[in-house]
Amino acid sequence: MIRTGIIGGAGYTAGELIRILLNHPEASITFVHSNSHAGSRIADIHAGLYGETELVFGDTLPLNEIDVLFLCTAHGDSRRFLQEKAVPGRVKIIDLSTDYRKASPEHDFVYGLPELNRDAIRQAHHVANPGCFATCIQLALLPLAGQALLTDDVHVHAITGSTGAGVKPSETSHFSWRNDNISIYRPFTHQHLDEIGQSLAQLQRDFRNTVWFIPVRGNFSRGIFATVHTKCSRTADEVQALYETFYDGHPFTRITAKSPDLKQVVNTNKCLLHLQKHGDMLLITSVIDNLLKGASGQAVHNMNLMFGIGEQDGLHLKPSAF
């Protein structure tokens, strides 16, 4: 049994991570750390877990009693935590923040997108979980980069649910503002562009074009719906075959014959992709659940790879029937 610990246990991603690990056949939760909620029942904060667990948040760090540590901390806090705390060398680490996503000689974290780095993740001791937008957009583009077919600028329009902004209320996340509303933010400058560019260049070393990304705040809770278009010289049948070949054997990313709906992936670890050719333009629709495939589900997928167990263990999650 894989013994797990969680830092930053009160947020949305931690709540989903706890839900998955409670039902994981090969894992158990040793502790969930939270300074602000220490002593409180986890189900009192993550109300969807009522009846599922009697675990309480702790303010101690029994790091010697775990095999893997999940960092569900705010951006910048993961790096500080690892600088200040003596994590035993044998303990594997999966960081869900932005702190270690960019490759650097200063750290040994492997970028944890299984469809790109599955073999490296299997050998990794430290993994940096990708961002939610980055996951959705990269999965739309990796097969093209793998064949050096990204020869023009890429245009992305992606809308995300309010949970992407985290559990702490803000001016643009509370119900009165978000409901019946839509807005863009950080156009062309979103922080996930760095990791997207890094991954595309990993497959297509001469990729120098621009990814023009418009992030959009949606008036729903969870999920990302992205439309990506770029010029592509291949025929529709050739593109279809390219994507099916690239993702063959990857259990969570599927090519659909019909344009997908967001509800098909919410509460699952799936990414659904749909391809359309319009003249020399290729349109790719990519949909994921930002809290699962874009965060906690992918983190558990990475754990499964790191410990050599079934990739889908604990991740047979089902969408709503309607």
Side-chain angles (χ1 to χ4, degrees), residues 193-236:
L193 283 167
D194 285 344
E195 56 188 287
I196 293 169
Q198 174 179 262
S199 294
L200 296 180
Q202 180 178 330
L203 293 182
Q204 183 174 331
R205 295 187 181 278
D206 64 349
F207 179 72
R208 298 291 184 272
N209 296 302
T210 301
V211 178
W212 298 103
F213 175 30
I214 305 291
V216 182
R217 300 182 184 95
N219 63 346
F220 51 92
S221 297
R222 59 195 294 169
I224 294 176
F225 190 101
T227 50
V228 181
H229 67 274
T230 190
K231 289 184 178 179
C232 179
S233 60
R234 299 293 179 90
T235 67

Side-chain angles (χ1 to χ4, degrees), residues 257-291:
K258 295 174 62 177
S259 184
D261 300 317
L262 194 59
K263 282 190 174 182
Q264 290 175 257
V265 298
V266 170
N267 293 317
T268 81
N269 199 51
K270 298 176 185 176
C271 174
L272 297 183
L273 300 170
H274 178 66
L275 310 166
Q276 297 179 55
K277 277 304 295 289
H278 296 269
D280 65 351
M281 193 67 69
L282 174 63
L283 172 65
I284 310 126
T285 302
S286 179
V287 291
I288 67 169
D289 185 313
N290 60 296
L291 294 179

Side-chain angles (χ1 to χ4, degrees), residues 175-189:
F175 179 83
S176 298
W177 188 91
R178 197 96 177 199
N179 190 49
D180 297 327
N181 200 9
I182 193 168
S183 65
I184 68 169
Y185 68 107
R186 298 178 190 165
F188 309 141
T189 63

Side-chain angles (χ1 to χ4, degrees), residues 10-30:
Y12 289 135
T13 56
E16 289 294 79
L17 181 58
I18 294 165
R19 177 169 71 95
I20 296 169
L21 293 175
L22 286 172
N23 296 285
H24 196 293
E26 301 291 339
S28 63
I29 299 174
T30 298

Side-chain angles (χ1 to χ4, degrees), residues 42-74:
I42 287 173
D44 287 338
I45 304 303
H46 300 298
L49 296 178
Y50 271 114
E52 301 293 325
T53 181
E54 296 300 318
L55 286 170
V56 300
F57 292 107
D59 58 2
T60 59
L61 294 169
L63 298 172
N64 287 313
E65 300 175 16
I66 61 172
D67 303 302
V68 60
L69 180 66
F70 292 93
L71 298 176
C72 298
T73 44

Side-chain angles (χ1 to χ4, degrees), residues 1-2 4 17-29 70 296-297 299-305 307 309-317:
M1 191 66 72
I2 302 166
T4 68
L17 181 58
I18 294 165
R19 177 169 71 95
I20 296 169
L21 293 175
L22 286 172
N23 296 285
H24 196 293
E26 301 291 339
S28 63
I29 299 174
F70 292 93
S296 302
V300 172
H301 187 183
N302 283 322
M303 180 192 77
N304 293 346
L305 290 169
F307 285 89
I309 61 177
E311 285 190 56
Q312 300 182 72
D313 282 0
L315 293 169
H316 294 283
L317 309 170

